Structure formats: structure tokens, C-alpha cells
Amino acid sequence: MELLEERIRRDGIVKKGNVLKVDSFLNHQMDIQLFNEIGKEFKRLFAECPINKILTIEASGIGIACIAAQYFQVPVVFAKKAQSINIDGDVYSTKIESFTHKKIYDVIVSKKFLSREDHVLIIDDFLANGCALAGLIDLVQSAGAAIEGIGIVIEKGFQHGGDLIRGKGVRLESLAIIDGMDDETGDIYFRQ
Ligand code: 5GP
């Protein structure tokens, strides 16, 4: 997605440790006009799929998922990071290791909001090693729901999450794929 790549080139900041900061438009301050274009693009890509629910994870996925949901006209459910003491039989739970915080979280979704009738589109901001997505896929499968596809805003193609998820046979669409970043020059190389 040209508009997104231009924005990443202009405002993205390459940090040490393969981290790209996009705080000024994606995951702190949010550019809603850009989010609208992202939502439209997800709708175009998944137009043929019988999606009745969008699943994301707190916090950064929520804004993107909500704007996209307006194009799909479906509700958004976000997986919550929980204390394990609060986990009871009313929820599906899984464990996710955070790439940015290097911590393992218990993540839950209430059984009320995900069931075998659902056809789910999973949306998230970043794909790096694939832990967040693997956890979300696990939650959907625990509920017996169908995964119609996954929409990612920025995939870091030089990490292995994309291969892992595509290897599971799930349809994954990333709007920008970065094949390399240089924290000294600030250069970002996009997949063509
Ligand atoms: P994964 O589980 O695929 O390793 O990482 C995905 C999650 O880590 C995303 O939901 C995102 O919040 C965070 N993340 C991974 N890489 C980056 C990055 O380079 N920049 C930012 N801002 N977040 C990242």
C-alpha cells in the first residue's frame, strides 16, 4: 500500500533491536485518515469472505480494527491481557510473548464473544516473530470458530512470523512488508 509505505518512510524511526517506531501515526498518536485508507484496503482484500467478527489484541490493534470494522459492518472483539489469577472457565485463554516488552502475558477472550458460528478476521498493527498472531489463532481455534484471514498493517519480513503463519495455511495479508532496516542510516527497505 503506497500511501502507507510513504508514511513509514517519512515518519517511521528505526531503533536498535529491529524495532520500528511509528508512534506519530499508528500506535500512539493515530492518523485516522490513514486508518480509514487501511480499513478500506482490508475490506477490498477480504471482500469475498463471509466475515462476521474482527478479532484483535489490546492495545495497538484496537483503533485499526475499529476503523476497519466500519467497512465490514461487524463487531470488534479484542483479546485482553489478563492476570492469570483472574482466568476462569468463562474465557478462552492463551499465552503470548511480547516482542517489544519481552514478557509472557496470559491473554483471554470471553466465551460469550467467540463461538463456533463465527467467521473471524484477525487484525493487528505489527507482525514480527508471530507470537501475538499464534496466540490469537489459538483463541479462535479454541472457540471452534473459522479464521477467514489475517490483516496486518506492517510485517517485518526479515523476522519469521510471516513464514510461520503462512505455513499454517492461513491467508495473511500485510499492507507493508519491510525486508530490512538500518538503525544507523534510518533506511527502510520495502518488499516490492
Ligand atoms: P510478534 O508477536 O509478531 O513478535 O510481535 C507482534 C507485536 O509486537 C505487535 O502487536 C506489536 O505490538 C509489537 N511489535 C513487534 N515489532 C514491533 C516494532 O518493530 N515496532 C512496534 N512499534 N511494535 C512492534
Side-chain angles (χ1 to χ4, degrees):
M1 188 181 167
E2 196 55 43
L3 184 73
L4 176 65
E5 289 185 12
E6 271 170 26
R7 191 59 181 273
I8 297 169
R9 245 189 221 105
R10 198 180 81 200
D11 292 334
I13 300 167
V14 182
K15 296 282 191 187
K16 285 208 174 3
N18 284 330
V19 172
L20 175 67
K21 279 206 115 178
V22 284
D23 278 21
S24 63
F25 62 96
L26 193 71
N27 49 28
H28 193 161
Q29 176 169 258
M30 297 180 283
D31 179 337
I32 300 305
Q33 273 171 320
L34 177 67
F35 278 29
N36 262 321
E37 297 306 317
I38 288 171
K40 263 187 230 167
E41 183 63 4
F42 283 140
K43 177 63 186 172
R44 190 185 68 78
L45 291 166
F46 292 102
E48 308 309 318
C49 303
I51 291 158
N52 74 328
K53 198 161 279 186
I54 292 178
L55 176 68
T56 188
I57 180 164
E58 66 177 348
S60 304
I62 297 176
I64 301 156
C66 288
I67 302 282
Q70 293 191 304
Y71 293 95
F72 289 87
Q73 302 258 299
V74 299
V76 174
V77 175
F78 65 91
K80 293 187 171 195
K81 293 169 183 161
Q83 302 291 340
S84 30
I85 3 179
N86 293 336
I87 295 177
D88 57 29
D90 298 334
V91 297
Y92 299 111
S93 76
T94 192
K95 288 191 188 297
I96 292 180
E97 185 178 351
S98 157
F99 174 82
T100 33
H101 301 111
K102 309 278 180 252
K103 264 171 67 177
I104 294 179
Y105 294 97
D106 285 296
V107 173
I108 59 155
V109 168
S110 168
K111 289 184 179 172
K112 280 187 288 192
F113 305 129
L114 208 51
S115 77
R116 58 178 60 254
E117 276 83 60
D118 287 323
H119 289 257
V120 179
L121 173 65
I122 297 174
I123 284 185
D124 204 3
D125 58 342
F126 268 91
L127 170 56
N129 293 322
C131 298
L133 280 188
L136 292 174
I137 290 171
D138 186 37
L139 290 172
V140 177
Q141 288 175 338
S142 301
I147 301 171
E148 292 295 331
I150 299 176
I152 293 291
V153 180
I154 304 173
E155 175 179 341
K156 293 191 291 181
F158 56 90
Q159 294 183 254
H160 298 296
D163 296 340
L164 189 94
I165 301 299
R166 290 184 181 97
K168 290 179 191 277
V170 181
R171 180 172 169 206
L172 167 63
E173 300 282 358
S174 298
L175 303 188
I177 303 183
I178 294 173
D179 274 335
M181 310 192 293
D182 187 328
D183 63 43
E184 290 190 348
T185 60
D187 288 338
I188 299 170
Y189 308 100
F190 290 94
R191 190 168 297 177
Q192 295 308 312

